[in-house]
Structures are given as C-alpha cells and as structure tokens.
Amino acid sequence: MTALQFLLLENNNLNGTIPPEIGNMTALQQLDLRNNKLEGEIPATISLLQNLNYLALGTNKFTGAIPIDLGHRQPLETIGLANNSFFGELPQSLCKSFALEALVLNNNNFSGTLPPCIQNCSNLYYVRLGQNNLSGDIRQVLGVHTNLTVLDVSENQLSGTLPPTFCSYTSLQILDISNNNLSGELPSCWWNLQDLQFMDLSRNAFSGKLPTSKNDISSLKLLHLASNNFQGDFPFVIRKCKNLITLDLGGNRYYSMIPSWLGVRNPMLRFLRLRSNMFYGNIPRRLSRDSYLQLLDLADNNLTGSIPTGFGNMTSMMHQNKEQFIISVDKSAAYPYFNRIHVNWKGHDGIFQREVALVTGIDLSTNFLSGEIPTELSNLQGLKFLNLSRNHLSGGIPKDIGNLTFLESLDLSVNQLSGPIPSSITNLMSLSSLNLSSNNLSGEIPKGNQLQTLDDPSIYGNNSGLCGFPLSIKCPNNSSSVSAFNKQKEYHKDLEDLWLCYWVVAGFIFGLWVWLVGLIFFKSWRMAIFGYMDRLKNIVM
C-alpha cells in the first residue's frame, strides 16, 4: 500500500510485531498502534518513512532501543512511545526537523541525556518523559518553548537548578519535576506561571522559601512540595490559592503555627498533608468548617492541645467519596492527568492516584495532643483510616467507634487511654489493621466478626488490664466479657441510686419523728408553735 497515508489501528487486541515491510509504505504520514498487545522492537525500516509526522506506539509490550536515525528524515510532530519497555539513549536526531510538538516517552527505561535539539523546538507544547532513567542538567531540556503547556520529567535523575528564564513558560498548566536531584531556590518570578493547575516539585532538594505573589493564583488546584528543604513560616502565598484542592507540604522544615485562615481561604481543599515538619501550637478549629476536606494528615509535628470536637462535622468524611478529579489540557485530552496523594497507609507509605477519591482519613499521630478522643469522630462514617497514635490522649475509646463501618485501619497505640475496649468495635467489618498497644486498657477483648481475624497479640500489647483472645492471659470467671463488665457497672450505678433514695426517705421520716416527739414531751415547744400560729392568724384577719 505505497499510497496509504494514515494507518490507525489503536485500541484493539493486535499482537505480534511490526513487520519490517512497513518501510515500503513511503506515503505514510500517521501511524497509530496505541493500546494493543504488540511486542518486539521497532524495525529500523520505519526510518525510511520520510513523510511520517505522527508516530504513536504507546501502551504495548515493545522493547529494545529506538532506531538510531529516527527523526533524521521525518518531519515528526508527535512521538508517543509511553508505557512500554524501551531502553537505551534517545536518538540525537529525534527532533532534527524542529517540528516536534508532543514528545510522550514516559514509563520506559530510557537513559542518558536528552537530545540538544529539543531546546530549539519552538512549537513544543507537550513533554512527558517521566518514569525513566534520564540524567543531565534540567536546563538542557528548557529552551524556547513559549507554547509549553505540559512538562513532566518526574522520576528521573535530572539535576541542576531552575533558571529565571523558566518563568517565561506562561502557558504552562501542568508541571511535574518530582523525584529528581534538583536543588536551589525557586526563582522570585515563579508565580508568573499564572495558568498552572498542577505543580509537583516533591522529592528533590529545593530549599529556601516559597516565593510570594501580589496576584491571586486562582488557577492552581494541585500543589505538591513534599520532601524538600523548604523552610520558614507557613507559606503565605497559599492564602491566594482559593481553588486549591490538594496541598502537600510534608517532609520539609516549616516551623510555625498552622494558620487559622487555612481552609477558610481555601474552601475547595480536599487533601491536606502537612506531616513531618515542625508545626506547633493547637490544631486550627476552623479546619472543621472545610466541608470538602477528606484527608487530614498532620502527623509527626509538635502540635499540642486537644483534638477539636468540630472535626465530627466534616461532611466529606461522613460518606464514601467516588468523585475522580482529572486535569485535561487542550490538544492532549488523550493523556489526562490524575490527582494523586502520598498516604501513610497501614504503616506503609503509598501513592494513591486513580483511586485517590477513595482516600478518606485522619492522621494526627506523633504529636503532643492531649485530652479525650472526641466522641463526635464516630460521626465520620466514611473514614478509611484513623491514626491518633503516639500522643498523650486519655479517657476511653469512644463507645460508638463501631459506627465507622468503612474503617480499614485504626491506630490508637502509645497513648494513655483507659477503660474497656467498646464492644461496638466488632462492627468494623472492613478492619484489616488495628493497633491498641501501649495504653491502660482493661477488661476482656471483644470477640466476633472481623476482629477474630486480627490474631496478632502485639495489637493489644502493653495493656496490663486486658485479657482474652488473642492474648495468652485468661479472663477471670467474674469478668468473662466486656458486656458482663458493663452490665455489672450499670448494676452498681443503679444500686447506688436506689440507696440514695432510701437514705432520703429515711432522713425525712426520722426528722418527722423528732418533731412529733418534741411536741409531745416538751411543753415549751408546743406553746411556742401555738403562739406563732395565733399571731399568724391575727395578721391574716
């Protein structure tokens, strides 16, 4: 088919390899084989297609290196090789025509440095090179790209600092340079990037403070700055991000109180992660007014005071969330960007992306919080995890803890909690991770349902008053169950109330008899009372 110009076979179940005879189709302009089950290497003959401007082979099982002269003869505008197993260095002639507009190579095993010609592709608007092993100075990627809307070079080994010229990418909507070796401070002109919706600088070595801005940053929705060396007070510029949905400042060196305006100035906030900093003071009670908040992670700081009772009113935690948040950029709707968040889930760090809408939880662990666990937290029936461990919390476990029917992980360890474990905990049918160790809990451990599968004794360790399965400590006969313990407690309370009534009646009868005996045996008492009644009668008459 030497006259064929378009061969579009994407989204099928094709398997096998690309035949080398494809080099005979000299009129071919577009080749789209995305989302199939093709394998093997790209045949070298593909470089013979001198009219090829669109090459899309993403999401297959291709392997091997890219033909060394790919792009040498072709006016390639779009190159899509994502989600395969390609390796080796990129051809230096890949963008020799300078016509390149979209370069999508993410999730492969490419290594080495980027072709220098990329800097001179002035029409480039979409770059995704994430999840590879590319190295070199990031300034080798940055050039004259006034139309650049997406830049993703995450999870590589790029180094260097961001130059002030970076601020000229005023059309940039998605910026993901996370998980590299980048360093230095952000340019003071940073917020010239007025169209940014998604920004991820996490897991680098950036330092200093986040630049300020005179203008509202209304476009920004997702901001990830975790695991860097940012420092100082809570970034005031966040106050201007009124449409912010995700804020992740975890793993930095911020040292201040958490501002009371947070959440009020950011009413759309859903995911708030401030863990592993040096924030101090009380938890702002105004956070409970944020009706959209579904993840609150303030763990590993120096917070004091009590847990606000208003947290029980956070409506987005009262039910399961299923809404997915996706960012699509013009001309690249086929490559949507999903929101994501790092979560310490059941003792392990994990990244939730496509399923981020399902993440609903509170983590206030490793602080200096005191007081009782608010009973109002039992209203948050949509919670998937609750971690209040390593604080100074006292009192008992809320008796209605079993109302959290979707709870999968509960950690209340290393506190000063006392009393029995509520029997309602057996209602947590989804519970797969539990830690109540190192408290002052007592009584028999409840039995039944999902709780029977949690048979590790360390779950209840270092609670001298607990007994029963899975501990080796047997319970006394007179306290065979928590239920019996509670009934006995209620019985004693009723008995105390009954005795109080008896004493009141007995006191009344005794006092009455004292007066009657006095009237009979003491004449002076009778005369005084009768005289008082006569005077009272005269006054009335």
Side-chain angles (χ1 to χ4, degrees), residues 1-177:
M1 301 183 186
T2 55
L4 192 67
Q5 296 179 340
F6 304 98
L7 180 58
L8 312 177
L9 302 175
E10 74 276 12
N11 302 319
N12 283 288
N13 290 305
L14 299 175
N15 53 32
T17 62
I18 300 177
E21 289 81 5
I22 196 168
N24 298 330
M25 305 173 73
T26 52
L28 201 62
Q29 297 178 23
Q30 295 188 12
L31 176 62
D32 193 343
L33 304 177
R34 288 175 298 153
N35 301 314
N36 279 286
K37 299 177 181 178
L38 300 171
E39 57 189 4
E41 299 185 8
I42 300 177
T45 54
I46 204 168
S47 299
L48 301 175
L49 306 179
Q50 298 186 21
N51 296 307
L52 192 67
N53 60 53
Y54 183 95
L55 176 63
L57 307 179
T59 314
N60 279 285
K61 300 177 182 179
F62 291 119
T63 187
I66 306 300
I68 192 170
D69 55 349
L70 183 66
H72 184 72
R73 300 181 181 88
Q74 299 98 336
L76 286 171
E77 297 176 2
T78 296
I79 303 175
L81 308 177
N83 304 317
N84 282 288
S85 298
F86 293 118
F87 57 79
E89 296 191 9
L90 296 173
Q92 296 298 299
S93 60
L94 195 63
C95 45
K96 186 177 180 180
S97 67
F98 304 128
L100 198 61
E101 297 179 356
L103 181 61
V104 186
L105 309 178
N106 54 295
N107 197 20
N108 280 286
N109 295 305
F110 290 119
S111 59
T113 58
L114 293 169
C117 57
I118 288 181
Q119 287 187 311
N120 297 317
C121 294
S122 58
N123 295 326
L124 200 61
Y125 75 91
Y126 195 90
V127 178
R128 290 192 67 176
L129 309 176
Q131 302 90 47
N132 282 288
N133 296 304
L134 299 170
S135 58
D137 195 309
I138 193 170
R139 284 172 290 191
Q140 296 174 348
V141 187
L142 309 177
V144 185
H145 309 309
T146 55
N147 298 320
L148 195 63
T149 56
V150 174
L151 176 60
D152 177 1
V153 293
S154 61
E155 297 185 47
N156 281 286
Q157 300 172 28
L158 298 172
S159 58
T161 60
L162 297 177
T165 53
F166 191 89
C167 301
S168 64
Y169 301 154
T170 53
S171 298
L172 202 59
Q173 297 181 37
I174 293 176
L175 172 63
D176 190 350
I177 54 178

Side-chain angles (χ1 to χ4, degrees), residues 421 434 443-460 466-475 480:
I421 300 174
L434 175 66
E444 184 177 8
I445 297 170
K447 301 176 181 177
N449 297 330
Q450 182 68 10
L451 213 60
Q452 293 302 106
T453 65
L454 305 175
D455 55 2
D456 185 355
S458 65
I459 291 173
Y460 308 98
L466 287 178
C467 60
F469 176 84
L471 299 177
S472 58
I473 304 172
K474 294 184 178 180
C475 295
S480 59

